[in-house]
Amino acid sequence: MNGLSLAFSEAFSLLAGFDHRVAEIVLLSLQVSGLAVLFGTLIGLPLGACLGVGRFPGRQVLVVLLNGCMGLPSVVVGVVVYLILSRSGPLGEFGLLYSATAMVIAQTFLVVPLMAAIARQVVEDAWRDYEEELTAMRFRWFDSVRVLLHDCRHSLMVAVLAGLGRAMSEVGAVMIVGGNIDRSTRVMTTAIALETSKGDLPLAIALGTVLLGVILLLNAVAYVLRQWATRRYA
Amino acid sequence: MFPLRVSDLRWHAAGRAVLDGLSLELGGEGITILLGPNGAGKSVFLRTLCGLLEPDAGHIDWGGAARPEFGVAMVFQQPKMLRDSLLGNVELALRPLKVPAAERQARARAVLERVGLLHRARDSARSLSGGERQRLALARAWVTRPRLLLLDEPTASLDPSSVEAIERIVREIRTEGTRILMTTHNLGQATRLADDVVFIDAGRVCEHAPVQRFFARPASPAARLYIQGELPWRMAF
Amino acid sequence: MANGVLKFLTSAVFSVTAMVSAAQAGESIVLASTTSTEQSGLFNFILPIFEKSSGIAVKVVALGTGQALDVGKRGDADVLLVHDRAAEDKFVAEGYGVERKDVMYNDFVLVGPAADAAGVKGAKDTADAFGRIAKKGSNWVSRGDRSGTHAAELRFWGSAGVDVKGQGWYKEAGAGMGPTLNMAAGMGAYTLADRGTWASFKNRQDLTIVYAGDPKLYNPYGVMLVNPARHPHVKKAAGEKFIAWITSPDGRRAISAYKIGNEQLFYPLSR
Ligand SMILES: Nc1ncnc2c1ncn2[C@@H]1O[C@H](COP(=O)(O)OP(=O)(O)OP(=O)(O)O)[C@@H](O)[C@H]1O
Ligand SMILES: [Mg+2]
């Protein structure tokens, strides 16, 4: 049997037929991962930038810790967030487990270290370039962080894309805290895991192809934006 | 801030004295040019003046007052520009001074006009040529209306007309009452711009004299050698 | 610019909150159940019927029976539908659940390569079938995930007098029914599966049913409400409504009506 070609033809018919269910799942994936990356951007990038600019005791330890956290298995993050959000956990009273909100929270934890680590590297390199100028102009370090975040915005797009890639493709965390509930918390990766475990490999690959397509599309948009921006600001 | 008294400044790097008892007194007017061979410690001295380096020993007295928070601006030998428009780069310098946003743009446009770059205000700063970039760097320093302006070889590797443009701007800044301390290896430029010359060698001041006397009768042997070494080049200019 | 960013942010957050709350507009309960039930497709068939008549949405979280019971213990589900009688009784006895009720049963099937090297097809009962596999040392893939199926499998090994610990032919997948079947198919190994998952499983390759039909292989499912006395947020009324429905004639009819091909997968248990 030629499983692969079967899978791809199924992927195309899935795309061409615009299956309503698949569209819903794709939309939820985008919303959950998009929000997580949004929070990752708001938290991770400034955090990384502060680490790139600031000079304080314990900074190196933090940097190593952050770089290590980039490889944190998503299942571990999922279990930790599960225990926090569980009814018997510290935030149990909010009843957030098995909701889209829980998935956003888990993925935020997942992408913040990654985005912060990339931002730290980018901003630290820029800081080496600008340190004397900014210090001579009497910028306080916090204001320098703001200036550098703005100045590195095009390179920081890489951090955002990396975060998005990680969030969209992880399955461990959303599976545990979302529960893969049909029509409620089922996203592309958990749907793929489910179809795989049902032995429906063609459908799994078809969904995987859709996921890849979505990620590629986002990257293409980002690439075009970045091209435009570099032309604008040399 | 003036008279600025620098006494017995010492700074070591890699086990070597870079500033080795440097002393100097500067009054509140004019253009002072720092001369000295490569590696004499001129750039390091300017860095200590604008607070980027903490000297190991010695003292700087800012006219009897504490070191002023603002009022000292520096143009580096290789100025770094943000990935932003010319206007954005000039306005940047006003941010630490807490100048209101509305006023910032007006002031930035005014100095851009005076350095002849207003027509490119919206262009990317990274697209400028070396000479234009130096003018932008001067504008960025000028816009803060400093009392003391430190210029580190602002005309190195510029063509003659760019050099002239920079010199015109420097003179203009000075007429507005800004004290200027500048390094250069262009002796012609020194004679054209300087009121007085400070000659530094091996991290200490060898000579501090009015410009005519310095070039006519250099007192220290080191200064004499330095000028002689440069002489053929100066005649060709 | 900061203003624009702020506006964008608030609108983004609002739109997702709106979307999420729209999805949860009506009343809903969380049902912790087993992967085997979910993957058989039963819920997709019967739950819309219940939702239509009651207006209560049932959100199914599919786990192994052991995990599902843990989730219930922590109070993260309202209702449990699982299949491990001993563990269920313990769950209720310890006060985590309210009254267990019979719902339905399906049966386990022994699945293996068509060639059947261990000769399981000729076995006289379940214990004999398991004994033959152990004697031949044919590859076996176990769920190994504390699920109801895993618990049943261990019981069968026990009744066959086989100690599987440390046996080279005994592989623990630590996974749900589907992945375990995928593994067995890939290795040409034997495994124990519930009929529901097997019937809807697509990647069979060389696997086939080698033994089935022994009453010992019956697999009863029970339903229970998580104890509201222990977890006050449990949706008692809605949960009880669901339990009442799934054990009612309507519920029984719905369960019987679910078929793959022409095969009925679950049989309702009358009280
Ligand atoms: N951060 C540093 N670490 C080590 N050595 C340094 C440092 N900064 C400057 N130096 C050394 O101090 C000496 C003086 O440097 P400085 O840049 O002041 O020279 P300069 O007088 O400006 O020379 P030039 O005319 O070439 O610009 C040089 O030998 C340089 O290598
Ligand atoms: Mg120098």
Side-chain angles (χ1 to χ4, degrees), chain B residues 37-44 46-47 77 152-153 183 185:
Chain B
N38 294 132
K42 302 181 296 292
S43 298
V44 166
L46 292 187
R47 280 190 168 81
Q77 197 168 336
D152 199 359
E153 300 191 37
T183 70
H185 289 294

Side-chain angles (χ1 to χ4, degrees), chain C residues 52-226:
Chain C
K52 213 161 166 190
S53 70
S54 67
I56 299 170
V58 181
K59 299 176 169 183
V60 179
V61 179
L63 305 156
T65 289
Q67 287 173 304
L69 290 169
D70 279 349
V71 162
K73 276 185 195 170
R74 302 185 64 90
D76 292 324
D78 301 302
V79 179
L80 305 182
L81 181 81
V82 291
H83 61 110
D84 183 354
R85 186 62 199 254
E88 290 162 41
D89 289 340
K90 187 162 167 261
F91 185 81
V92 173
E94 286 172 355
Y96 291 111
V98 178
E99 192 193 0
R100 173 198 179 279
K101 285 182 175 159
D102 283 328
V103 177
M104 61 189 183
Y105 72 93
N106 66 351
D107 63 336
F108 292 119
V109 293
L110 251 170
V111 174
D116 189 21
V120 176
K121 279 172 181 159
K124 60 181 195 299
D125 61 17
T126 309
D128 184 30
F130 274 75
R132 288 182 186 211
I133 292 169
K135 198 157 154 218
K136 179 82 183 171
S138 303
N139 276 338
W140 174 273
V141 183
S142 164
R143 290 278 294 272
D145 65 346
R146 296 196 306 132
S147 59
T149 309
H150 186 210
E153 178 209 318
L154 293 178
R155 275 201 308 280
F156 295 138
W157 287 120
S159 67
V162 175
D163 182 11
V164 292
K165 237 181 249 149
Q167 300 287 0
W169 49 267
Y170 187 83
K171 329 259 187 225
E172 289 197 39
M177 194 68 255
T180 304
L181 281 169
N182 276 331
M183 264 180 82
M187 294 166 55
Y190 291 90
T191 190
L192 183 72
D194 62 283
R195 194 180 287 276
T197 309
W198 171 253
S200 60
F201 185 73
K202 298 226 171 95
N203 182 32
R204 292 183 184 179
Q205 300 183 33
D206 192 32
L207 290 187
T208 178
I209 294 181
V210 289
Y211 185 82
D214 185 346
K216 285 223 181 78
L217 287 173
Y218 285 4
N219 174 31
Y221 286 78
V223 69
M224 57 211 140
L225 184 72
V226 174

Side-chain angles (χ1 to χ4, degrees), chain A residues 65-80:
Chain A
L65 219 67
L66 201 62
N67 287 343
C69 282
M70 281 201 287
L72 206 59
S74 59
V75 181
V76 173
V77 174
V79 171
V80 171

